[in-house]
Amino acid sequence: MSTQTEQPQTQKPSVLEMAREQLAIAAKYLDLDEGLHKVLATPKRQVIVNFPVVMDNGRVEVFEGYRVQHNIARGPTKGGIRYHPEVDLEETTALAMWMTWKCAIVDIPYGGAKGAVKVDVKRLSRRELEKLTRRFISEINMIVGEDRDIPAPDMGTNPQVMAWIMDTYSMQRGATVTGVVTGKPVPLGGSQGRVEATGRGVVTAMVEACEFLRIPVKDARVVVQGFGNVGSVAARLAMEAGCKVIAVSDRTGGIHNEKGLPIHTILQRYADREGGIQEYPECDKITNEELLTLDCDILIPAATAEQIHEGNAKDIKAKLIVEGANGPTTPGAEAELWDRGVFVVPDVLANAGGVIVSYFEWVQDLQAFFWEEHEVNAKLEKIIRNSFHHVLSVMHQHKTNMRTAAYIIGVKRVADATVTRGIFP
Ligand code: NAD
């Protein structure tokens, strides 16, 4: 009988290795100068902070946090702050680099950044979460700012955390600075449509890809991994677009029903319960690994990195993968999927909706003039559609896949900006 430890270990590259490998592929297509390649492969600034927080029981705990700014050639840096027990500087650097390409691919005037604190938020009280956030932002406040580096939410952080960041920064500046962070609650300078933006962008890209691949959207069988901000919104909007969402999952596992799951009901009645989506009765319970290899038309990985790897890529049955999460497919898996004709819409395009509406939020804050939700959604969908078709045309031109085509566009825009600005002094 085989035990878990006897099973072959799947070799996964680190996410930073993945990010650098993807850059190297684009650099080859662009015949990028060696020095310029070095500039783009390296983050401009990495900050590590260790800071104390007095916990509710009176004891002091020390937390480690990071802020990485990858590149400022096209504008101030922009990127989320992640609270998770397994973050590290390397992962944060890879995520910052991906943000640089993502902003360039959809042509918004930012470079990439990312922040993180090594913490399990589920173990914190609300008061501890607030204190940790305020102290972390105080530790990095000299490098953030509405014209320098603008944080946003990511895994483990939410609009309330963004409100505390805005307040802390404002108190230290002596003026209310709403544009220092995005993803805030709407009454505090947040944008309509921001909460749904990433999922909306994922589904907009999915619909365009279905049209290109001639997959009818109506009744397309969709599987979504991750039922947080991105996954739950993508599942709901896919259903509203006419798809049949046959399986969804969170970190506790998946639920599956071939007839389609009632996403609205699951969201309203089960998602916030102690047992989560597992409490929904009319379904089969499956593992996350089983979910990824279900027979379906479209797979939306919207949880975490490296879920589709060389160990399971050959078993993936979807015709189309739309990456809601950052880095869910390893390069080895992508090669296998490519050989089998599985079409992948890469994260840097598919999940750019979040940063696009964050950009809209920042613009609205700087102008103190706010837009209606339908304007935000229409502008977002237009950028995703235009970017999708631009990437598709570069894909055809270079006879490559969507990811490499997207990188060719993004890396070229950042490289051109670097060369045009010149290297100081
Ligand atoms: P979230 O914390 O709201 O939700 C994450 C979901 O994934 C939860 O349902 C969680 O239970 C599930 N999950 C975590 N680990 C899992 C695992 N190993 N297997 C299966 N499910 C797992 O986070 P989010 O904001 O929805 O982000 C999800 C992904 O999308 C992340 O990779 C994030 O970087 C990326 N992303 C988010 C945004 C955004 O605007 N929120 C924008 C771009 C990219």
Side-chain angles (χ1 to χ4, degrees):
M1 201 171 80
S2 81
T3 65
Q4 223 170 1
T5 45
E6 286 166 1
Q7 288 179 4
Q9 293 292 309
T10 310
Q11 276 293 323
K12 291 186 198 169
S14 82
V15 281
L16 187 56
E17 281 165 359
M18 251 168 80
R20 291 210 166 118
E21 192 175 327
Q22 290 158 346
L23 169 64
I25 293 169
K28 241 189 191 157
Y29 275 92
L30 292 166
D31 198 15
L32 208 65
D33 168 80
E34 201 182 315
L36 197 49
H37 186 172
K38 246 188 257 171
V39 172
L40 301 185
T42 320
K44 172 189 165 53
R45 182 184 273 147
Q46 294 169 296
V47 173
I48 304 178
V49 293
N50 294 291
F51 59 94
V53 176
V54 182
M55 309 305 280
D56 291 349
N57 62 9
R59 291 168 71 158
V60 174
E61 276 193 34
V62 176
F63 294 90
E64 185 167 304
Y66 320 96
R67 186 73 185 168
V68 178
Q69 299 169 343
H70 173 251
N71 187 285
I72 57 159
R74 303 178 75 250
T77 48
K78 183 95 191 78
I81 291 181
R82 180 175 287 196
Y83 289 171
H84 193 277
E86 278 150 34
V87 295
D88 57 33
L89 185 64
E90 205 178 291
E91 180 195 67
T92 311
T93 303
L95 290 163
M97 193 189 286
W98 278 326
M99 282 302 292
T100 299
W101 315 136
K102 192 180 297 183
C103 294
I105 290 159
V106 295
D107 207 6
I108 56 176
Y110 291 133
K114 205 78 181 185
V117 178
K118 212 187 257 288
V119 60
D120 183 356
V121 278
K122 287 199 285 337
R123 293 184 44 227
L124 299 182
S125 69
R126 183 183 160 91
R127 177 80 193 120
E128 289 167 343
L129 180 65
E130 178 177 350
K131 287 205 278 188
L132 175 137
T133 299
R134 289 187 184 278
R135 181 65 191 242
F136 175 55
I137 213 68
S138 303
E139 297 287 343
I140 60 167
N141 75 355
M142 65 295 284
I143 60 163
V144 299
E146 76 277 33
D147 54 357
R148 288 183 190 179
D149 179 14
I150 305 116
D154 195 76
M155 279 166 82
T157 56
N158 58 25
Q160 175 61 72
V161 172
M162 300 304 114
W164 289 325
I165 293 177
M166 189 275 271
D167 184 68
T168 305
Y169 186 83
S170 297
M171 288 300 109
Q172 290 165 346
R173 276 271 299 266
T176 296
V177 187
T178 54
V180 66
V181 66
T182 59
K184 300 179 294 296
V186 171
L188 289 179
S191 177
Q192 300 287 349
R194 173 62 185 89
V195 173
E196 291 193 345
T198 308
R200 183 174 296 281
V202 167
V203 172
T204 306
M206 180 199 86
V207 169
E208 295 305 303
C210 282
E211 198 171 297
F212 170 65
L213 299 170
R214 306 219 162 98
I215 298 173
V217 172
K218 172 125 184 46
D219 291 331
R221 292 154 68 240
V222 176
V223 167
V224 182
Q225 187 197 35
F227 206 61
N229 174 281
V230 182
S232 69
V233 173
R236 179 171 63 74
L237 294 178
M239 205 186 87
E240 287 172 11
C243 300
K244 206 156 65 166
V245 180
I246 60 165
V248 297
S249 70
D250 61 17
R251 72 181 79 237
T252 65
I255 57 176
H256 173 217
N257 185 333
E258 267 310 303
K259 291 192 202 127
L261 294 164
I263 299 301
H264 291 105
T265 310
I266 294 170
L267 264 170
Q268 280 162 12
R269 296 213 207 130
Y270 299 95
D272 289 337
R273 282 199 198 175
E274 185 70 22
I277 59 172
Q278 298 294 327
E279 288 193 26
Y280 175 68
E282 285 157 50
C283 62
D284 300 324
K285 309 284 185 262
I286 55 173
T287 64
N288 262 294
E289 196 57 27
E290 286 165 340
L291 173 125
L292 292 171
T293 57
L294 277 177
D295 186 14
C296 65
D297 299 306
I298 303 163
L299 173 62
I300 302 179
T304 184
E306 302 189 307
Q307 294 299 300
I308 302 171
H309 46 77
E310 282 171 76
N312 63 9
K314 63 179 184 326
D315 300 319
I316 302 272
K317 297 179 191 73
K319 304 179 189 97
L320 167 63
I321 296 176
V322 187
E323 294 183 338
N326 285 315
T329 312
T330 66
E334 182 144 39
E336 160 84 35
L337 294 168
W338 171 258
D339 285 345
R340 293 202 292 111
V342 181
F343 193 83
V344 180
V345 185
D347 49 5
V348 280
L349 171 63
N351 72 25
V355 74
I356 293 169
V357 177
S358 271
Y359 164 58
F360 295 162
E361 179 175 333
W362 180 71
V363 168
Q364 292 170 78
D365 285 336
L366 294 186
Q367 299 182 339
F369 182 72
F370 292 88
W371 312 344
E372 291 180 28
E373 186 171 354
H374 68 92
E375 295 175 75
V376 172
N377 292 348
K379 284 186 166 74
L380 160 65
E381 287 167 13
K382 187 173 169 195
I383 293 182
I384 292 281
R385 273 198 293 270
N386 288 348
S387 305
F388 180 92
H389 289 286
H390 186 193
V391 173
L392 203 61
S393 70
V394 172
M395 179 185 98
H396 287 136
Q397 184 194 335
H398 289 282
K399 299 187 175 43
T400 181
N401 61 18
M402 282 289 266
R403 189 181 319 274
T404 300
Y407 270 69
I408 290 171
I409 295 169
V411 171
K412 181 166 184 346
R413 283 187 173 144
V414 180
D416 286 351
T418 308
V419 170
T420 311
R421 280 179 69 151
I423 292 182
F424 180 83

